[in-house]
Each structure stands twice: as structure tokens, then as C-alpha cells.
Amino acid sequence: MDRDVDVAPPLPESPADDRTPPAAYPDRGGGLRVAVRVASHALIAGLPVAVLGVVAIVLGPEISAGLDSRAVAAWRTVFTAIVIQGVPFLLLGTVVSAAISAFVPAWVFTRVLPRNPALAVPVAGVAGAVLPGCECASVPVAGSLMRRGVTPAAALAFLLSAPAINPIVLMATYVAFPGNPWMVAARLVASLLTSVVMGWLWLRLGREEWLRAPKGPTGHTAGASRAEEFRVSLQHDFLHAGGFLVVGAAAAATFNVAVPHSVLRLFSDSVWLSVPMLGLLAVLLAVCSEADAFVAASLTGFSPSARLAFMVVGPMVDLKLIALQSGTFGRAFALRFSSATWVVAVLSSALVGWWLL
């Protein structure tokens, strides 16, 4: 006997059916939820800094009882100053990085930059002038550029030039050295020269196994809104880089307290030692690029070329920047790239200082 066949038409699936892709139904409250998520993650990202500040305030007296109170106070002051200087620009860099990842199509970079990597390096170096941030901001932006397909040599040239030749830094240098526009020109030329040379050196001598591909969202995920991509990228980059900023700030503060200033005066009278000495000092002090010109101007016992080296090296190689690069691109890359950058920056400063100053 034939079995009965059910010919009734199937009922329409409910929007709540688990088999239905979420992207098929618009989320009318998505914008508000994304805004709330961004605000909540921003608060979470700032929580470690707030906790460290509270611990320093609450436990400061107990720590001072066992140590030199002046040294502890100096350490807390330097550490707090570096973190407070760096966090706003780190946030700026992660916002720019997230915006590039979420809103800028990948083909834009292939059209703006020359296809020849050797020509893309100087173009990327000059493009660093458009980002008004410090070295904390340049690392996540460079990582985002690499994730979007930009050749690493060009992205690294941008990483070095952005914190050194942007308008805010050059204006601060002009204010710090009144009546000496040649110092501004020397900083611009030496910094741009260093970034381009390092990009070409990486293009020529760099190896893929040295550079760890930066992790994080690449943008334009199917079915995800641009606002959601922006939130995810901002959360990842800021939380990841913020921890390394704190580590670098702690290292710089320790050096400021441990090394007596009388040691620095031993090198100020030597023409050959003063330039590398201030280059090394820039690495250890880790002063923000918007403020390092005022520190350099205060080092009146050193030659103009030595003070130029302090301003050229600082935005490209310092303790917090090495920590940020280690977390983003790998420790092997950070050690090799930072060492080579320091040598090139010192030589460029000596050459340009001899020529212009």
C-alpha cells in the first residue's frame, strides 16, 4: 500500500531560527551597542594605568620606608609622566589604525604607493608627516599597514618618520630653539634620511623570518559592520600595545633614578663621545617626541650636533618603543631593527649637524 505523502507547504522560518545567518536581519540597535562597547573597552584599557596609579599612591609611603624616599618619588614621577605622555598618543595611533583597518579599502594603498618597493620607501617616509602623534602611535599604524598589504620596508619607513617629522614635533622644536630655524631643518632632514635609509636597508638585507606578522583584525570581514570592525581592531591594538608601553616606561624611570647626572657630564666635553652619548641617553630616557626638543634645549653643555642626535634617535629608538615593537613584530625583529636604526640615526645626525649646524 502506498504511504501517504505530506504535501503541505513548509512554514516560513522564523527570524530567530538558529540556521538563519545573523547578517540577514539588520540590528536596529547595533549603533548604540557598538558605542557602549567602545566606551566600556576604553575604560577597561585605562584600568591598568589607574590601578598602577592607585597602588603607587597607596603603597608609596610603605615602599619609601625601606628605600630612599627621594629616589622612589623621582621614579614614580618619571614613570607617571611617561605613561601620561604616551597613552593619549597611543590611543590616537590605535584609533587611526582601527580606522584604516575598518574603513580604508586595501586597494587604496596599492594605488597611493608606487609599485616599486624602492620608490615606495621614500614616499612612505614623507607620508609620515601627516600623522600628528609620537612613537607610541606609529607602531600600531605601521602594523595595520602591513596587515593591509603594504610592503614592510615602506611601513617601517613610515613608522620611523611619523613621530619625528610631523608638524607638531617640528613646531615644538622651533619653540624650544628660538631664533635657530636651522635646528628645525636639521631635525627634519636627519630624521627623514634615517627613515628612508632604514627602509632601503630592510628591503635589501631584511629577512621574512625576522619579522613576525602583526596579529589583529584585517578589516572588511564578511557579514560584519564597519563599526564592529573598528571596535574590535581598536580593542586589540590598544590593549596589546598599552602593556608594553607600561613596561618601557618602568625601564626608563629606573634608569633616570639609578644613573647619576654627574656621569653624563663626563662626556659633554668630548666631540666624538657627545653625539653617541646623547643618542644613548635618548634611548634610555624615552621622552615623548613632542617634548624631547625642550629636554635637548636644556642640555646646554653639549654641542648642537649632539642635541640633534638626541632628537633624532629618541622618536625612533627608546625603551618603550623597543617594548612596543617587540610585542607587535617580535623580539628578534625589535633587537635587530632598533640596533641598526640607532647606528644610522647617530651617523645621520653627525653628518647633517656638521652640514647645517
Side-chain angles (χ1 to χ4, degrees), residues 10-353:
L11 294 176
E13 295 181 355
S14 170
D17 196 327
D18 293 338
R19 295 171 297 175
T20 304
Y25 299 93
D27 185 3
R28 296 179 181 178
L32 178 60
R33 279 197 291 271
V34 169
V36 172
R37 288 179 182 179
V38 171
S40 63
H41 286 299
L43 291 175
I44 294 174
L47 185 60
V49 178
V51 170
L52 289 174
V54 172
V55 170
I57 294 174
V58 174
L59 300 182
E62 287 74 9
I63 298 176
S64 300
L67 299 173
D68 183 359
S69 60
R70 290 178 297 178
V72 174
W75 191 96
R76 285 187 296 172
T77 300
V78 174
F79 172 81
T80 304
I82 293 176
V83 172
I84 291 177
Q85 282 181 341
V87 165
F89 295 102
L90 178 62
L91 179 60
L92 172 63
T94 52
V95 167
V96 174
S97 172
I100 291 174
S101 179
F103 301 112
V104 180
W107 57 263
V108 170
F109 303 104
T110 59
R111 291 190 179 182
V112 172
L113 293 175
R115 294 185 178 181
N116 187 336
L119 296 179
V121 168
V123 173
V126 174
V130 303
L131 179 63
C134 72
E135 57 273 18
C136 302
S138 63
V139 174
V141 175
S144 179
L145 292 176
M146 291 185 190
R147 293 196 298 264
R148 306 310 302 281
V150 175
T151 178
L156 294 176
F158 178 88
L159 182 151
L160 296 178
S161 67
I165 66 172
N166 70 72
I168 295 179
V169 169
L170 296 180
M171 181 58 66
T173 306
Y174 179 80
V175 174
F177 292 89
N180 189 5
W182 289 110
M183 184 63 78
V184 181
R187 181 173 194 177
L188 172 63
V189 173
S191 299
L192 185 58
L193 176 63
T194 301
S195 64
V196 173
V197 169
M198 282 305 303
W200 283 336
L201 284 177
W202 180 262
L203 194 62
R204 179 70 176 177
L205 304 176
R207 298 180 182 178
E208 293 184 1
E209 58 268 24
W210 292 348
L211 178 62
R212 185 182 67 196
K215 299 178 181 179
T218 57
H220 302 285
T221 304
S225 66
R226 296 293 179 259
E228 180 66 13
E229 291 176 358
F230 176 83
R231 180 193 67 80
V232 172
S233 182
L234 176 63
Q235 171 190 347
H236 177 275
D237 288 345
F238 188 78
L239 291 178
H240 186 71
F244 290 96
L245 172 63
V246 172
V247 172
T254 302
F255 170 81
N256 276 270
V257 174
V259 179
H261 293 282
S262 58
V263 175
L264 302 179
R265 290 194 290 268
L266 298 176
F267 299 89
S268 61
D269 296 332
S270 173
V271 177
W272 299 103
L273 295 179
S274 60
V275 173
M277 179 59 197
L278 284 196
L280 178 61
L281 182 63
V283 175
L284 299 174
L285 290 184
V287 183
C288 186
S289 60
E290 275 77 12
D292 61 358
F294 300 96
V295 177
S298 67
L299 301 173
T300 55
F302 290 87
S303 66
S305 295
R307 288 186 281 176
L308 174 63
F310 181 87
M311 295 186 292
V312 173
V313 171
M316 299 182 180
V317 188
D318 63 29
L319 290 179
K320 66 178 185 295
L321 184 56
I322 294 173
L324 288 169
Q325 290 180 1
S326 298
T328 304
F329 305 116
R331 184 172 57 184
F333 166 83
L335 293 177
R336 291 184 175 94
F337 188 74
S338 297
S339 301
T341 301
W342 186 88
V343 174
V344 173
V346 169
L347 293 177
S348 298
S349 301
L351 177 63
V352 174

